[in-house]
């Protein structure tokens, strides 16, 4: 699912391009998270919608994703005939585009969008600053994670100068939780498994739990971070049943464990403290696999 950085970066770049007289389309084939939905005032096209439009695009910006597989197989041959620009900050980026602007020191892709607008010499407008703030705030966990740098804060201070309403943005992003989400989190917490003197945790959300709590798949967002935040917790592995044989595994670590290295072993990717991969097996089989993985860690 696209996150605040993906959407914020798309919106800022889109608004900038449109203001500069370009015809642009945001193509995003996924569910929009509830916390960022309120910032979108422009049309978002699914891949199917976009195909119907029959636009003769000559340039595609690939925003905030590390490899083409994330797009789904159908898009790769279509993209092969187009000029592509990859704007990303994941260290697992595969440099798949014609031009690759990959800055692994950027806290968020939003920071890279900010740089591009600055480089253009054109004014930074409030309409770009707001989604860039959303991008950076969400990808840094509200400026708490180790990807937050002095530069991140200096970028944010430039965003303030445009007159963005930060308190309002933060209310929309962080004080807006639907009740069924909390119910789902409580249900998952009842099945929490702890390892290595409570320093590693395994948690999962099954399709059955979603049903029970009348929750949506995206309602599991934030659960893995909440477990990570427990005192003494170093690693959290979260399994999410997407379909009966498709299990998405997300990992979060606090200090020393590099979860992107673990994810790469399963053809996944991500950052040192946040990474994931997919297992094509039943939830029960995936749980057993991950129990062994976590149990063997030191
Ligand atoms: Mn990002």
């Amino acid at each position: 699912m696209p996150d605040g950085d993906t959407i914020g970066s798309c919106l800022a770049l889109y608004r900038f391009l449109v203001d500069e007289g370009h015809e642009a389309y945001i193509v995003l084939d996924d569910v929009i998270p509830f916390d960022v939905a309120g910032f979108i005032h422009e049309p978002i096209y699914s891949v199917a919608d976009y195909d119907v439009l029959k636009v003769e695009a000559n340039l595609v910006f690939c925003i905030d994703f590390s490899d083409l597989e994330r797009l789904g197989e159908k898009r790769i041959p279509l993209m092969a005939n187009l000029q592509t620009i990859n704007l990303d900050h994941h260290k697992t980026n595969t440099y798949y585009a014609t031009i690759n602007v990959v800055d692994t020191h950027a806290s968020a892709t939003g920071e890279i969008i900010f740089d591009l607008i600055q480089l253009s010499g054109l004014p930074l407008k409030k309409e770009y600053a707001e989604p860039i703030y959303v991008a950076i705030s969400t990808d840094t966990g509200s400026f708490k994670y180790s990807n937050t740098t002095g530069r991140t804060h200096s970028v944010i201070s430039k965003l303030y100068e445009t007159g963005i309403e930060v308190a309002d943005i933060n209310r929309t992003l962080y004080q807006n939780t639907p009740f069924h989400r909390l119910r789902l989190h409580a249900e998952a917490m009842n099945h929490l498994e702890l390892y290595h003197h409570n320093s590693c945790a395994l948690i999962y959300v099954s399709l059955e739990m979603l049903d029970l709590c009348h929750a949506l798949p995206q309602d599991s967002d934030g659960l893995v971070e909440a477990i990570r935040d427990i005192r003494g917790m170093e690693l959290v592995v979260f399994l999410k049943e997407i379909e009966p044989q498709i299990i998405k595994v997300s990992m979060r670590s606090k200090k020393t464990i590099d979860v992107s290295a673990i994810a790469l072993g399963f053809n996944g990717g991500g950052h040192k403290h946040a990474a994931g991969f997919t297992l094509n097996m039943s939830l029960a089989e995936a749980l057993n696999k991950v129990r062994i993985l976590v149990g063997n860690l030191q």
Side-chain angles (χ1 to χ4, degrees), residues 13 58-66 68 79-80 82-89 93-103 109 112 116 119:
L13 181 61
N58 46 30
L59 184 61
V60 177
F61 287 97
C62 306
I63 295 176
D64 197 41
F65 58 89
S66 55
L68 279 181
M79 299 241 318
L82 292 168
Q83 292 280 308
T84 49
I85 302 183
N86 163 14
L87 304 177
D88 188 34
H89 67 128
N93 196 288
T94 57
Y95 290 77
Y96 51 80
T98 322
I99 297 172
N100 298 283
V101 183
V102 179
D103 180 359
T109 299
I112 301 170
L116 287 178
L119 276 170

Side-chain angles (χ1 to χ4, degrees), residues 29 52 101 115 151 169 177 180 217 238:
D29 228 4
V52 170
V101 183
D115 289 341
R151 193 183 129 68
I169 297 173
T177 311
H180 54 253
F238 168 53

Side-chain angles (χ1 to χ4, degrees), residues 127-195:
E127 292 70 32
Y128 320 148
E130 183 182 87
I132 292 174
Y133 183 92
V134 170
I136 298 175
S137 173
T138 52
D139 251 27
T140 57
S142 303
F143 314 103
K144 292 191 297 285
Y145 302 156
S146 58
N147 59 344
T148 312
T149 62
R151 193 183 129 68
T152 310
H153 285 289
S154 80
V155 169
I156 294 293
S157 87
K158 296 268 181 3
L159 303 181
Y160 270 77
E161 287 169 19
T162 68
I164 53 169
E165 307 285 346
V166 171
D168 285 347
I169 297 173
N170 285 327
R171 252 191 300 277
T172 306
L173 278 177
Y174 305 117
Q175 299 178 354
N176 211 2
T177 311
F179 189 69
H180 54 253
R181 171 169 296 223
L182 220 58
R183 249 181 144 139
L184 179 69
H185 289 201
E187 179 63 24
M189 284 292 279
N190 280 333
H191 297 81
L192 181 73
E193 297 176 22
L194 294 164
Y195 298 83

Side-chain angles (χ1 to χ4, degrees), residues 212-248:
L212 184 74
C213 303
H214 305 291
L216 299 166
Q218 61 267 34
D219 287 323
S220 63
D221 289 1
L223 177 61
V224 64
E225 290 81 8
I227 312 295
R228 177 206 54 204
D229 293 348
I230 295 169
R231 183 188 302 163
M233 192 61 70
E234 173 54 28
L235 171 74
V236 189
V237 184
F238 168 53
L239 288 84
K240 183 171 169 180
E241 187 178 23
I242 308 291
E243 283 175 32
Q245 294 288 323
I246 304 179
I247 312 300
K248 214 182 133 202

